Amino acid sequence: MSATPAATPDTPVDTDCIFCKIAAGELDVPLVYEDDYVVAFDDISPQAPVHTLIIPKQHVVNLTDKPDPELLGHIFGAVHEVARRKGIDESGYRIVQNNGVDAGQTVFHLHVHVLGGRELMVGMA
Ligand code: DGP
């Protein structure tokens, strides 16, 4: 994934964004996974035994922000590794990604939820 746009000193950040602060290491949040482009950490309000968020280091609001497809590919590429580290890659897991108010997005920094650790409810909405 060498072509993935890197997080650089010029990477856009929103100084008021809690997820930008987590990505920058400004808050004491243990990371499940980190590479040059994304970090993953456990959700503060877990909806399942495993509930981990994957976010880009650069500030992107959601898919309406038209993030670089390579960055999106990189985020999705991290999903399996996060699932493996959380021990749910074999048992199965669900990813959820909320965009905008009707979807229930509450933190306006793009994130993918990785959920698992038990049999999840059938249905998505
Ligand atoms: P969403 O509804 O898709 O925008 O999900 C946002 C999630 O972010 C929600 O499940 C709670 C989580 N969250 C919000 N603030 C924090 C925080 O400061 N730390 C952590 N670990 N998770 C947070």
Side-chain angles (χ1 to χ4, degrees), residues 22 27-31 40-42:
I22 292 173
L27 304 178
D28 190 21
V29 175
L31 299 183
F41 51 93
D42 289 335

Side-chain angles (χ1 to χ4, degrees), residues 18-19 22 41-44 53 98 104-107 111 113:
I18 188 79
F19 283 3
I22 292 173
F41 51 93
D42 289 335
D43 195 289
I44 201 168
L53 303 172
N98 294 321
Q105 185 176 9
T106 57
V107 177
H111 51 279
H113 300 254

